[in-house]
Amino acid sequence: MSKQKSNLRKIFFIVLAAISLSSLFSCSKKIDNGIELDTSDPLATAPDVQWALIVVPYASFKKETSWDAQTTGYCKQGECFPILARSVFTVDGETENWYRFEEGWLPENMVKIYANKFRAEKAAKSLK
């Protein structure tokens, strides 16, 4: 009889240990790593939206993809904008990329492109 009790105790402790370990390594356990995700802008992490960081002191948005086009607005270094479109064309044998924003077009030499808003904003902090 004592051998049966001993076996039952072993089984009980094995089950208890298994339950304790499973709760320790459970996926449903919430771990606070101090990272907060800002969900106020639905486009911030959208996989099909790239973000541009203005890398020159000041830039003027153009109505069309041309340096001679009418100015439609201004921006300054460190500002971030979602890219709406991209235009690639050749001028004097050189390929030039222009990016469309809500305010107008900017050439590629005035911006740096990022996969999401958070990366662009992080890079903006290093410019200051």
Side-chain angles (χ1 to χ4, degrees), residues 34-99:
I35 298 173
E36 291 185 31
L37 181 61
D38 179 5
T39 58
S40 61
D41 186 350
L43 296 179
T45 57
D48 59 339
V49 178
Q50 291 183 313
W51 288 75
L53 168 63
I54 307 303
V55 295
V56 294
Y58 294 98
S60 56
F61 291 104
K62 299 296 185 176
K63 186 174 183 176
E64 299 170 358
T65 57
S66 169
W67 291 98
D68 298 328
Q70 175 186 349
T71 298
T72 58
Y74 299 93
C75 57
K76 60 185 178 181
Q77 186 177 45
E79 291 184 302
C80 301
F81 300 95
I83 297 172
L84 304 177
R86 178 177 160 219
S87 179
V88 181
F89 60 95
T90 304
V91 177
D92 298 330
E94 302 239 355
T95 301
E96 193 170 28
N97 292 311
W98 283 69
Y99 295 95

Side-chain angles (χ1 to χ4, degrees), residues 1-44:
M1 186 82 145
S2 68
K3 188 162 180 133
Q4 276 186 329
K5 282 185 179 180
S6 176
N7 286 341
L8 284 175
R9 282 184 187 165
K10 287 179 184 176
I11 292 172
F12 174 75
F13 286 117
I14 290 172
V15 169
L16 184 61
I19 291 171
S20 297
L21 286 174
S22 69
S23 66
L24 180 64
F25 296 109
S26 172
C27 291
S28 64
K29 189 174 189 179
K30 185 175 181 173
I31 298 172
D32 184 13
N33 58 9
I35 298 173
E36 291 185 31
L37 181 61
D38 179 5
T39 58
S40 61
D41 186 350
L43 296 179

